[in-house]
Amino acid sequence: MASEFKKKMFWRAVVAEFLAMSLFIFISIGSALGFNFPVVGNKTSTRSQDNVKVSLAFGLSIATMAQSVGHISGAHLNPAVTLGLLLSCQISIFKALMYIIAQCLGAVVATAILSGVTSSLPNNLLGLNALSDGINAGQGLGIEIIATLQLVLCVLATTDRRRNDVSGSAPLAIGLSVALGHLLAIDYTGCGINPARSFGSALIANNFENHWIFWVGPIIGGAGAALIYDFILAPRSSDLTDRMKVWTSGQVEEYDLEGDDMNSRVEMKPK
């Protein structure tokens, strides 16, 4: 932990997570709220939310942010992804903790700004995740687990540095996975799959009803994806000692030995 704490590149990565998360939340939730504004010249019509539009907004914004800061922080932008990479022994416990804090702060700041931008909306819940009518807590939890599992599994597989068969854009593949999760889950839970995103809306809207689902579900899904990928689909050869070293000190190659070189390891880019 001490070695990471002293690295400027480490703190740049934390700031990158905060900034990218802020932009991601503002753009994606802003797209979901936009349908509430009246249509000029046809204010009598009733508009319904376009799930495809919202899903694409979430997916494309993740892909864009991953392309923008992936070489700096790995662009986790989701505590469930961070947890998956932690259990996969790709980051240290300290880095995971700082990333999750940065992600939650970014979500809160972006949602607060969005609250000001959309202050004219009546009953504005700022993209609050909630169970749909007819969906109970257990069913919502199951949806969140499955939607998050496929996302974290995609992240782990796409960024696996042992692979040499990955072609195309890794950020785009992960963005499409986010969009896929939203296409599945929006009608059931509003689609959390990202505890920080859910926390920002809940805090600013001051509504924590069933909020636990949007933490427990993604945590189980992210952890399950890491265990399935690392121990069943593509087992790693590292033993417990090696894993403990990564959890306490980070990966040896993660930062340049000189301290601040921008050629440090890129988590979001397949190698």
Side-chain angles (χ1 to χ4, degrees):
M1 185 181 80
S3 61
E4 285 190 310
F5 188 84
K6 297 176 182 178
K7 298 290 186 179
K8 291 182 180 179
M9 189 60 195
F10 172 82
W11 293 108
R12 288 179 192 151
V14 173
V15 171
E17 283 290 304
F18 168 80
L19 178 61
M21 189 69 179
S22 299
L23 291 172
F24 160 60
I25 293 298
F26 187 88
I27 294 169
S28 55
I29 296 183
S31 72
L33 296 179
F35 83 99
N36 284 299
F37 285 98
V39 179
V40 177
N42 189 19
K43 294 184 179 181
T44 59
S45 66
T46 300
R47 294 194 292 166
S48 59
Q49 187 180 59
D50 185 343
N51 286 357
V52 174
K53 167 199 169 185
V54 175
S55 299
L56 287 175
F58 273 87
L60 292 176
S61 58
I62 279 287
T64 301
M65 292 302 104
Q67 196 72 264
S68 301
V69 303
H71 60 296
I72 301 172
S73 69
H76 297 187
L77 307 182
N78 186 336
V81 171
T82 299
L83 175 63
L85 292 173
L86 173 65
L87 294 179
S88 187
C89 291
Q90 299 188 44
I91 58 175
S92 69
I93 294 175
F94 178 62
K95 183 175 185 179
L97 178 62
M98 293 305 300
Y99 269 25
I100 292 173
I101 292 174
Q103 291 157 5
C104 288
L105 286 176
V108 169
V109 169
T111 309
I113 296 173
L114 196 58
S115 175
V117 173
T118 60
S119 60
S120 61
L121 289 179
N123 303 317
N124 186 5
L125 294 179
L126 298 167
L128 180 73
N129 290 123
L131 299 178
S132 299
D133 293 338
I135 301 296
N136 62 39
Q139 293 167 333
L141 182 66
I143 289 291
E144 288 294 311
I145 290 173
I146 294 172
T148 308
L149 189 147
Q150 63 85 26
L151 167 61
V152 178
L153 192 64
C154 177
V155 171
L156 293 173
T158 305
T159 62
D160 190 342
R161 292 174 295 157
R162 297 171 295 172
R163 296 181 62 181
N164 55 17
D165 63 323
V166 178
S167 59
S169 169
L172 181 58
I174 295 168
L176 290 175
S177 181
V178 171
L180 178 63
H182 280 76
L183 288 171
L184 164 68
I186 283 179
D187 288 331
Y188 299 96
T189 63
C191 191
I193 70 172
N194 187 328
R197 168 260 188 274
S198 301
F199 176 72
S201 296
L203 182 65
I204 302 301
N206 193 28
N207 187 335
F208 288 91
E209 183 178 1
N210 292 318
H211 184 64
W212 65 272
I213 293 173
F214 304 103
W215 279 90
V216 176
I219 286 173
I220 294 175
L227 295 176
I228 290 171
Y229 189 79
D230 269 15
F231 293 98
I232 299 177
L233 300 180
R236 297 180 184 273
S237 59
S238 56
D239 56 25
L240 182 60
T241 302
D242 294 332
R243 289 175 175 267
M244 291 299 295
K245 287 180 180 179
V246 175
W247 284 336
T248 55
S249 304
Q251 289 198 350
V252 175
E253 72 273 20
E254 189 165 5
Y255 301 104
D256 183 80
L257 294 178
E258 296 300 323
D260 300 312
D261 199 315
M262 287 298 289
N263 292 322
S264 55
R265 184 171 66 87
V266 180
E267 293 170 6
M268 189 56 73
K269 183 178 180 180
K271 295 188 176 182

